[in-house]
Amino acid sequence: MKIVFASTPGQEEKVVELARYFYTDIFPLYFSDEDIHEFERLEVLHTRPEQFERFSTLGDAFQVITSMQTLISILESGHIPEKYQWMFRKNVQTLTDYGICFPFNYSQFSDSKHVHLDYISTYTKAANSLLL
């Protein structure tokens, strides 16, 4: 008999939080608002309740979370060393295996400079908030 533990609501929330982080902190470094809007339309990193069924165990949810966190770490490093290509591809494949769309390849980020250094994206989180 094999005992499997289901993923927790907290893990599902973490996946959604990480997807949001891509849109607010990662994508604006590499893509224009028009591109990011298109990613939303194409449901890049979009999760639905039925997708959570694909990673219904603790181990599956952990793999998805770890893959997303690894991709974030690689992309936040600014310059992506060549030696991380295989790691990038492996984690994109893991997301794909679990039904999460991440249609990017390594060169889209490695060939890219941090696109909009003097550009403020509408997707970026506000640095502060004004209380009235």
Side-chain angles (χ1 to χ4, degrees):
M1 176 162 69
K2 184 176 181 180
I3 297 174
V4 217
F5 296 96
S7 62
T8 66
Q11 288 175 310
E12 294 172 6
E13 289 170 15
K14 184 66 174 178
V15 170
V16 171
E17 174 189 319
L18 289 169
R20 200 172 320 117
Y21 187 84
F22 269 96
Y23 277 91
T24 60
D25 292 78
I26 303 296
F27 291 156
L29 296 175
Y30 296 96
F31 302 103
S32 69
D33 281 359
E34 294 79 24
D35 292 334
I36 298 169
H37 180 69
E38 183 66 11
F39 301 158
E40 286 181 325
R41 192 186 71 71
L42 295 172
E43 297 185 341
V44 171
L45 293 171
H46 186 77
T47 53
R48 294 190 197 109
E50 59 269 12
Q51 284 176 297
F52 288 114
E53 293 171 12
R54 291 188 82 172
F55 50 96
S56 57
T57 68
L58 284 172
D60 293 342
F62 181 72
Q63 282 188 341
V64 169
I65 291 168
T66 302
S67 290
M68 292 175 85
Q69 288 174 330
T70 302
L71 289 170
I72 287 169
S73 294
I74 292 171
L75 296 174
E76 281 185 332
S77 70
H79 171 70
I80 305 168
E82 189 87 13
K83 66 181 179 181
Y84 292 120
Q85 277 190 22
W86 69 270
M87 189 182 301
F88 183 91
R89 284 192 305 271
K90 177 182 176 286
N91 286 286
V92 169
Q93 186 59 51
T94 299
L95 294 179
T96 302
D97 291 347
Y98 285 102
I100 297 174
C101 175
F102 191 81
F104 304 103
N105 59 51
Y106 178 81
S107 66
Q108 288 175 277
F109 297 98
S110 64
D111 295 343
S112 178
K113 57 272 166 222
H114 275 42
V115 176
H116 305 290
L117 298 177
D118 60 343
Y119 169 79
I120 299 175
S121 171
T122 58
Y123 287 90
T124 305
K125 286 187 293 190
N128 55 37
S129 60
L130 179 63
L131 299 175
L132 298 177

